Amino acid sequence: MNISALKRESLAIKTNENRVLKRLKPALWLMPFIAFFYLFQLAPMAWVLFNSFIYDSEFSFDHYLEIVDSDFMMQAFGNSLWLSVWSSVVGMLVAITLVSSLRRVDSKLRDGVIAFTNMSSNFAGVPLAFAFIIILGLNGALTLLLKQYGIIDDFNLYGKWGLLAIYIYFQIPLAVLLLYPAFDALDDDWQSAAALLGAKTWQYWMKVALPVLSPAILGTFIILIANAVGAYASVYALTSGNYNMITIRIANLVSGDLYLEPNLAAAISVVLMAILAFITVVNQWLISKSYAGRRG
């Protein structure tokens, strides 16, 4: 009996050990991701946050006061947010129209457009700036053609409207890729039912389609803003750093030869993260209100 009891106890211990190992295996597989996330996300953010308060080797809020008091820094934030918001709005409108149309075309054409969109979403940075210079620069092919026919008198690719065109270009493919799966939630029978009840197309979109799609649209919108705020390579390649953008200011403070102030750059980064965090919180609140309205 004692031997039998010992065997049962040993079997129970092994069973418990196997259960613990089964539970630990997923956690062990996550360890590389956790290490990667810590090294490239949490640790840099902690360093930036801590060093943003260091001024002349002392803990201080002077960097933040310098940002608020500087018209030049405020202009950089304003330019970045202006480009980000408007490029996101225009990109969303174009993407919604495009994705809505794609659902009603032949599958081969649809797959081709999605493949091209996926490819163009990765066409950014210096190559994109060079392509725009060739097409829409002061002596660009399209610029000269439009001037020849008197459609435009002057177009400055290197100002805010030229930058807005570039931002819209790389926002549209990303918005299409993010919104395309969301449109599967729409049932074609809903529009037919709405038409039978006397609803016009715009009424169907305002009363049925957009409320259903609103969580995906709001989520995509915040991603587009974050994507635009962090853009750097295209702007720098196009303007050589002469246009006042917040990413340009951070880069100059980190890598500049004359004005190397990484702590001030850290403070600017913290302010930028705070703005994005605020936008994200507002976005999540709107999404929750949207879900609440749908359940009601």
Side-chain angles (χ1 to χ4, degrees), residues 39-166:
L39 290 173
F40 294 96
Q41 290 288 340
L42 295 182
M45 287 179 64
W47 184 93
V48 167
L49 182 61
F50 176 78
N51 283 274
S52 67
F53 294 101
I54 303 301
Y55 188 86
D56 290 338
S57 301
E58 295 181 356
F59 189 87
S60 173
F61 289 90
D62 287 352
H63 285 309
Y64 293 98
L65 295 176
E66 182 178 346
I67 293 171
V68 174
D69 292 337
S70 173
D71 293 335
F72 190 62
M73 290 296 179
M74 290 295 100
Q75 184 190 49
F77 276 105
N79 289 339
S80 294
L81 291 175
W82 185 88
L83 285 170
S84 301
V85 171
W86 281 110
S87 65
S88 299
V89 169
V90 177
M92 284 289 297
L93 293 176
V94 175
I96 289 172
T97 304
L98 178 58
V99 173
S100 177
S101 302
L102 283 177
R103 297 181 70 248
R104 290 169 171 78
V105 300
D106 182 73
S107 59
K108 291 184 179 180
L109 177 60
R110 181 169 60 248
D111 294 341
V113 172
I114 293 299
F116 174 77
T117 303
N118 190 22
M119 179 189 68
S120 59
S121 65
N122 296 300
F123 184 65
V126 177
L128 177 62
F130 181 66
F132 266 79
I133 290 172
I134 293 175
I135 297 172
L136 290 172
L138 296 177
N139 294 309
L142 185 58
T143 303
L144 295 177
L145 184 64
L146 294 176
K147 285 182 178 179
Q148 181 180 350
Y149 287 99
I151 298 176
I152 61 172
D153 294 327
D154 188 25
F155 177 74
N156 183 15
L157 178 64
Y158 311 102
K160 70 174 183 178
W161 297 109
L163 289 173
L164 181 61
I166 289 183

Side-chain angles (χ1 to χ4, degrees), residues 12 51 81 86 90 136 150-151 184 189 194 215 230 238 247 263 270 279 291:
N51 283 274
L81 291 175
W86 281 110
V90 177
L136 290 172
I151 298 176
D184 290 336
D189 293 337
L238 190 67
T247 50
N263 292 340
V270 171
I279 295 173
Y291 277 125

Side-chain angles (χ1 to χ4, degrees), residues 64 67 76-77 80-81 84 225-226 229-231 246-247 250 265-279:
Y64 293 98
I67 293 171
F77 276 105
S80 294
L81 291 175
S84 301
I225 289 179
V229 167
I246 199 62
T247 50
I250 293 173
I268 297 172
S269 300
V270 171
V271 174
L272 190 59
M273 286 190 292
I275 293 173
L276 291 176
F278 174 75
I279 295 173

